[in-house]
Amino acid sequence: MVYFPFDQYVLTPEAQAVVQQAAEYAKGGGASKIVVTGHTDTSGSDRYNQKLSERRAKAVADGLVSLGVNATALAVDWKGEKDPAVATGDGVKEPLNRRSTVSITF
């Protein structure tokens, strides 16, 4: 799980450390498929959150590739504010919902 500050998609030092761990795990086990999915909280419009979640997912995917993960094994998806980790009402700034997940299959 890679978390992001409010309204951002740049990897923080903490996020970079998680991406590095995921890259090492994927490369060490010979991952056959890696899916990165971006998410947002419910603050902002649905259209804006779709784009922000896409940027978050792509930032994580780019980080994985830069660390040697095979790009052909990588898929990127984004959910916007749908499928939150913590259910909230509309317009709520929930840090746990501002994330990208990394699913690795061997």
Side-chain angles (χ1 to χ4, degrees), residues 32-45:
S32 62
K33 184 175 184 182
I34 303 164
V35 179
V36 179
T37 306
H39 301 268
T40 66
D41 59 23
T42 59
S43 180
S45 71

Side-chain angles (χ1 to χ4, degrees), residues 4 6-7 9 19 25 37 50-52 54 56-57 61 66-67 71 88 92 95 101 104:
F4 294 87
F6 177 71
D7 199 29
Y9 60 92
V19 171
Y25 181 70
T37 306
Q50 282 292 331
K51 193 65 176 170
L52 180 58
E54 177 185 2
R56 287 177 174 167
S66 74
L67 293 168
T88 67
V92 176
T101 59
I104 302 171

Side-chain angles (χ1 to χ4, degrees), residues 5-88:
F6 177 71
D7 199 29
Q8 294 184 27
Y9 60 92
V10 175
L11 298 177
T12 63
E14 295 84 6
Q16 289 173 351
V18 173
V19 171
Q20 183 170 354
Q21 289 174 346
E24 290 170 4
Y25 181 70
K27 291 186 305 182
S32 62
K33 184 175 184 182
I34 303 164
V35 179
V36 179
T37 306
H39 301 268
T40 66
D41 59 23
T42 59
S43 180
S45 71
D46 187 52
R47 182 176 180 189
Y48 181 83
N49 285 335
Q50 282 292 331
K51 193 65 176 170
L52 180 58
S53 67
E54 177 185 2
R55 289 180 177 135
R56 287 177 174 167
K58 288 183 176 180
V60 171
D62 289 347
L64 290 168
V65 170
S66 74
L67 293 168
V69 170
N70 187 348
T72 61
L74 200 56
V76 179
D77 190 18
W78 49 92
K79 302 289 184 186
E81 59 187 59
K82 296 173 183 71
D83 196 22
V86 177
T88 67

Side-chain angles (χ1 to χ4, degrees), residues 84-97:
V86 177
T88 67
D90 192 39
V92 176
K93 296 177 181 176
E94 172 54 57
L96 295 177
N97 290 338

